[in-house]
């Protein structure tokens, strides 16, 4: 079946995706990774899958750059519709998932047990009705969610489940190898005829043939570029990679807006959850009324529904990057103030930290508590990152060194040995202290042991992989 909606030139992709659904429905678990550059039409293809998945339950999650700090945030989005079935899981799996999601207190869960729990949970759902799981912008998932979803993706066998990931190429996100080796579909640009048809649909009034040709040539079939670059055509196109040119085009749409409209857009960009209630409360604190909201909608760059949605993630990054540091801090402080410390202390602490550059013990202490919670969930690297940031914001040098040391410990436990050693040097450069010196020595000993083990294990792992 060809693509049913208004997507141009996606017949082959549409067929592949329809096949995936048919096979999943008949009980053979399916995985597919859609790869491609920003704006090439990956999310549009996910929307297509969602629209075609008649008879399926559909659950969806999307990575957001700022959310990658929070362990299991992405996985939680994906599983949240099914959490009422947790009691169907065997106790160790139930406890692991409950702890990972911060819903229960238990021993630090292993990724393996969380992975098993997710498999059981999804299989439980799919027993009732076939299931489609869509994970957009997987390059921005937090590393715990990535690891678990990579595990799950390799173990879907006779389940009525289709799992589709979207991965943006060319972004410098790390930790993406968890999808390596899975079936993939590279999403390419539209062909010349489709590119011209799409361009035609957005051109207002007559446009010089040479300008059209240039846009088509430079967009290389990228639909977002075809939709956005015509705005620039009059003044000639920027040099540089396509993605940054599209982003630049968004910046130029933002710049002339009134300052309160820009501030509202910035508040939305700084709020990674897309939570409308939170946004309106923060906007209220900032003294932004209905006018900037209407003006923002008028630009077509954002939609305010139950969830706040940017036209494209590049709009979010354009808004955030083009703002001044002072404004960014201001909106993060407002977002912190409207985030309930009893319900979401971690995002509150994170916003507070983004809202300040000068050391502040209260902010640092909050972050350090967030680190403890991340650690309890099993997010060691996340915990280490929060502790490092807490250390930077700690005014008192001895306490700062203690937090750096705690970060070094968490990095070592997570296997990030070089990072741990770097932090230990920072601790040494701080105020001298016998207890800390003893622990530095102790940790260095452990790290040296780990490094030898890694060195000895490497050849074995290589030959095992062959
Ligand atoms: N095949 C297509 N035909 C027409 N418009 C498309 C097509 N693919 C994508 N678009 C439009 O191009 C823009 C960018 O697509 P999107 O799916 O958001 O890209 P990506 O997720 O790869 O960054 C969207 O406005 C989308 O509606
Ligand atoms: Mg997308």
């Amino acid at each position: 079946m060809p693509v049913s909606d208004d997507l141009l030139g996606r017949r082959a992709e549409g067929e592949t995706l329809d096949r995936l659904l048919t096979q999943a429905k008949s009980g053979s678990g399916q995985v597919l990774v859609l790869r491609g550059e920003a704006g090439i039409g990956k999310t549009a293809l996910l929307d297509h899958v969602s629209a075609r998945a008649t008879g399926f339950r559909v659950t969806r999650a999307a990575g957001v750059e700022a959310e990658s700090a929070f362990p299991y945030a992405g996985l939680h989005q994906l599983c949240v519709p099914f959490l009422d079935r947790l009691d169907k899981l065997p106790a160790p799996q139930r406890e692991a998932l409950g702890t990972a999601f911060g819903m229960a207190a238990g021993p630090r869960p292993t990724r393996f047990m969380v992975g098993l729990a997710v498999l059981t949970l999804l299989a439980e759902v799919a027993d009732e009705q076939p299931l489609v799981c869509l994970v957009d912008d997987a390059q921005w998932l937090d590393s715990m969610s990535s690891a678990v979803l990579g595990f799950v993706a390799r173990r879907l066998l006779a389940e009525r489940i289709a799992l589709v990931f979207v991965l943006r190429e060319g972004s410098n996100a790390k930790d993406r190898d968890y999808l390596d080796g899975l079936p993939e579909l590279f999403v390419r640009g539209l062909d010349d005829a489709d590119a011209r048809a799409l361009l035609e649909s957005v051109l207002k009034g007559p446009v010089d043939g040479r300008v059209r040709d240039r846009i088509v040539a430079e967009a290389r079939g990228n639909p977002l570029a075809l939709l956005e670059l015509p705005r620039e055509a009059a003044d000639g196109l920027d040099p540089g990679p396509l993605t940054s040119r599209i982003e630049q085009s968004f910046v130029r749409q933002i710049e002339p807006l009134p300052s309160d409209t820009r501030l509202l857009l910035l508040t939305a960009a700084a709020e990674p959850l897309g939570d409308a209630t939170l946004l309106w409360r923060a906007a209220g604190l900032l003294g932004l009324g209905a006018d900037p909201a209407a003006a923002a909608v008028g630009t077509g760059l954002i939609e305010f529904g139950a969830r706040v949605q940017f036209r494209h993630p590049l709009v979010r990054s354009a808004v955030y990057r083009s703002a001044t540091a002072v404004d960014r801090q201001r909106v993060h402080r407002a977002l912190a103030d409207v985030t309930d410390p009893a319900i979401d202390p971690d995002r509150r602490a994170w916003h507070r930290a983004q809202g300040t550059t000068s050391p502040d013990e209260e902010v640092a202490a909050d972050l350090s508590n967030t680190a403890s919670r991340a650690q309890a969930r099993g997010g060691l690297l996340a915990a280490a990152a929060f502790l490092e940031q807490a250390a930077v914001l700690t005014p008192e040098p001895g306490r700062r060194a203690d937090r750096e040391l705690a970060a070094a410990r968490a990095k070592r436990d997570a296997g990030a040995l070089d990072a741990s050693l770097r932090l230990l040097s920072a601790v040494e450069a701080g105020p001298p202290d016998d207890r800390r010196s003893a622990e530095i020595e102790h940790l260095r000993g452990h790290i040296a042991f780990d490094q030898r083990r890694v060195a000895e294990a490497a050849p074995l792992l290589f030959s095992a992989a062959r």
Side-chain angles (χ1 to χ4, degrees), residues 3 6-10 36-47 136-137 166 168 187 190 194 198 222-225 227 311-314:
V3 171
D6 43 5
L7 292 184
L8 292 160
R10 293 297 187 216
E37 65 184 13
I40 203 71
K42 304 179 296 298
T43 299
L45 285 170
L46 281 192
D47 293 343
D136 203 350
D137 285 327
V166 154
R168 186 200 280 189
V187 184
L190 304 180
D194 289 324
L198 186 58
N222 182 305
L224 189 63
L227 297 171
R311 156 140 169 59
H312 190 270
L314 286 176

Side-chain angles (χ1 to χ4, degrees), residues 74-133:
L75 191 66
H76 184 259
Q77 268 185 69
L78 202 68
C79 295
V80 85
F82 314 130
L83 292 182
D84 57 343
R85 300 166 190 249
L86 277 191
D87 57 348
K88 301 254 167 68
L89 304 187
Q93 296 181 22
R94 183 175 65 234
E95 278 159 22
L97 202 58
T99 311
F101 288 163
M103 298 156 51
R108 188 191 297 164
T110 63
R111 286 186 292 193
F112 175 72
M113 195 52 78
V114 176
L116 277 187
V118 172
L119 266 177
T120 313
L121 186 66
L122 298 183
E124 175 71 36
V125 176
D127 237 17
E128 232 167 58
Q129 191 180 353
L131 174 67
V132 180
C133 304

Side-chain angles (χ1 to χ4, degrees), residues 105-432:
R108 188 191 297 164
T110 63
R111 286 186 292 193
F112 175 72
M113 195 52 78
V114 176
L116 277 187
V118 172
L119 266 177
T120 313
L121 186 66
L122 298 183
E124 175 71 36
V125 176
D127 237 17
E128 232 167 58
Q129 191 180 353
L131 174 67
V132 180
C133 304
L134 305 175
V135 184
D136 203 350
D137 285 327
Q139 74 280 359
W140 289 324
L141 285 181
D142 62 276
S143 60
M144 301 307 281
S145 295
S146 315
V148 166
L149 287 172
F151 173 91
V152 168
R154 288 174 177 81
R155 283 165 186 78
L156 292 180
L157 299 169
E159 316 294 349
R160 295 189 296 168
I161 300 177
L163 179 49
V164 185
F165 294 94
V166 154
L167 201 54
R168 186 200 280 189
E169 297 285 306
S171 52
N172 48 5
K174 25 88 203 167
D175 301 338
R176 297 193 308 177
D177 43 359
Y178 69 102
L179 297 178
D180 281 358
L182 293 171
E184 55 184 43
L185 175 65
F186 201 84
V187 184
R188 292 177 200 286
L190 304 180
D191 68 20
D192 201 66
D194 289 324
R196 278 175 196 279
L198 186 58
L199 178 63
E200 220 52 57
S201 72
V202 287
L203 286 182
K204 295 185 187 76
V207 173
D208 186 279
R210 276 167 307 180
V211 175
R212 276 170 217 258
D213 290 347
R214 200 175 67 208
I215 296 172
V216 169
E218 307 217 338
R220 286 182 283 107
N222 182 305
L224 189 63
L226 288 161
L227 297 171
E228 288 303 320
L229 294 185
R231 299 170 191 275
E232 307 298 306
D235 348 325
L237 301 170
D238 283 338
L242 195 58
T243 302
S244 48
R245 264 163 46 190
I246 300 172
E247 199 181 75
Q248 201 52 43
S249 155
F250 288 131
V251 169
R252 269 197 288 271
Q253 292 170 58
I254 297 157
E255 269 168 351
L257 298 173
S259 61
D260 55 357
T261 308
R262 266 182 296 151
L263 201 62
L264 181 66
L265 286 170
L266 179 59
T267 314
E271 199 290 292
L273 300 173
D275 181 332
T277 314
L278 212 59
L279 173 64
W280 296 127
R281 286 210 197 114
L285 266 192
L286 293 162
L288 302 169
D291 289 353
V297 171
T299 62
L301 294 172
I302 195 164
E303 279 173 26
F304 302 117
R307 293 181 54 73
V308 180
Q309 265 213 306
F310 282 98
R311 156 140 169 59
H312 190 270
L314 286 176
V315 176
R316 182 193 288 272
S317 49
V319 168
Y320 199 78
R321 278 184 203 141
S322 64
T324 64
V326 172
D327 279 345
R328 278 189 222 157
Q329 285 163 21
R330 213 175 134 206
V331 304
H332 277 297
R333 278 199 301 274
L335 286 163
D337 287 344
V338 298
T339 302
D340 188 338
I343 295 172
D344 201 348
D346 296 336
R347 282 180 186 75
R348 182 166 184 275
W350 182 81
H351 279 303
R352 286 187 86 190
Q354 306 301 311
T356 181
T357 46
S358 47
D360 180 330
E361 177 51 33
E362 226 188 278
V363 178
D366 274 0
L367 268 184
S368 151
N369 290 332
T370 291
S372 307
R373 282 185 293 266
Q375 193 145 20
R377 291 173 171 206
L380 294 173
L381 277 177
F386 286 128
L387 279 166
E388 254 188 291
Q389 205 180 356
V392 171
L393 293 172
T394 305
E396 202 276 306
R399 189 170 274 168
R400 185 185 315 140
D402 283 336
R403 286 180 176 145
E404 283 166 347
L405 187 55
R409 227 179 285 131
K411 293 256 194 210
R412 185 254 153 181
D413 291 345
L417 304 181
D418 291 342
S420 180
L421 286 172
R422 266 198 305 282
L423 278 162
L424 289 179
S425 308
V427 181
E428 262 176 338

